[in-house]
Amino acid sequence: EVTAVYLAKNPDTVDDFLDYHFVQLRKGMNHLKRVTKGDALERMIPKKLQESIERDYESVKDRFLETLCEKCNLTRPMSSWTKLATPDLALKADVELANLYFYDYFRPTMYSHSTVSSLIARLRKDKEGEFLFDNEGQKSHVKEALIGAHLLLLHVLGFQNDHYKLGL
């Protein structure tokens, strides 16, 4: 939703969003190269397609480089299609989305990845005050997740209504 609203409000950035796909395809191919042996890569991605991915990447790569060292001109591919971090993207897209960012993006991301936060969220104390792994999951967050999903859905529908002038 953040990306959709941001792109709608900043149509001059749509080409960057679309063209970054070529960077992501190459990243995926390179990940496969690292973990495949023999001709396994060519069975998954035929040689001609690999060459096409490389050509497409070469055609856009200069737009998606970040400078690591000004002095020696060291660069690397950007990790996203934009230099804006997600909270900044949300702020520029819509203040309502920015207000939802922490509860509906950052914190769920911390819980869904292998982080200390995700481990701590699965701990509880027993009657003696000892920590146990809670095999019931993160039930205490279900209500928050459902409310957040509801708010995001309302935002999506409201944005679609306004953007496409549906008159609903």
Side-chain angles (χ1 to χ4, degrees):
E1 176 67 353
V2 167
T3 301
V5 174
Y6 181 85
L7 290 172
K9 291 184 176 182
N10 299 277
D12 58 310
T13 63
V14 170
D15 285 342
D16 287 341
F17 175 76
L18 295 173
D19 289 347
Y20 191 74
H21 175 67
F22 299 127
V23 176
Q24 290 174 314
L25 284 176
R26 184 171 184 263
K27 282 182 182 182
M29 184 174 70
N30 286 339
H31 283 294
L32 282 173
K33 282 181 183 178
R34 292 175 64 192
V35 298
T36 57
K37 294 180 179 164
D39 64 347
L41 178 66
E42 288 186 22
R43 285 195 312 267
M44 290 185 271
I45 306 173
K47 195 71 169 164
K48 284 191 180 214
L49 182 54
Q50 289 180 46
E51 292 166 359
S52 174
I53 290 169
E54 283 295 334
R55 273 192 311 277
D56 290 339
Y57 170 76
E58 288 296 323
S59 74
V60 301
K61 75 174 182 180
D62 292 341
R63 290 182 17 227
F64 301 105
L65 295 175
E66 63 181 327
T67 302
L68 298 178
C69 177
E70 297 269 344
K71 193 181 261 187
C72 61
N73 204 22
L74 180 64
T75 61
R76 73 172 173 198
M78 291 169 33
S79 60
S80 178
W81 65 275
T82 176
K83 292 180 180 174
L84 293 173
T86 305
D88 299 320
L89 205 60
L91 275 169
K92 290 184 180 283
D94 186 285
V95 71
E96 289 177 28
L97 287 174
N99 291 335
L100 297 173
Y101 166 79
F102 178 80
Y103 289 104
D104 298 333
Y105 181 85
F106 180 78
R107 196 157 73 170
T109 300
M110 295 300 289
Y111 291 152
S112 66
H113 290 86
S114 51
T115 65
V116 173
S117 295
S118 69
L119 292 173
I120 291 171
R122 297 294 303 262
L123 296 177
R124 66 177 170 86
K125 287 186 179 180
D126 65 13
K127 293 175 186 174
E128 289 79 38
E130 297 292 322
F131 283 104
L132 300 171
F133 186 75
D134 189 355
N135 62 354
E136 292 295 316
Q138 298 159 338
K139 284 186 177 183
S140 62
H141 299 287
V142 170
K143 181 179 177 182
E144 181 182 300
L146 288 173
I147 290 170
H150 237 89
L151 291 171
L152 285 171
L153 184 58
L154 290 171
H155 191 280
V156 167
L157 295 172
F159 175 72
Q160 298 276 325
N161 185 50
D162 295 345
H163 185 75
Y164 294 109
K165 298 173 182 41
L166 300 175
L168 302 175

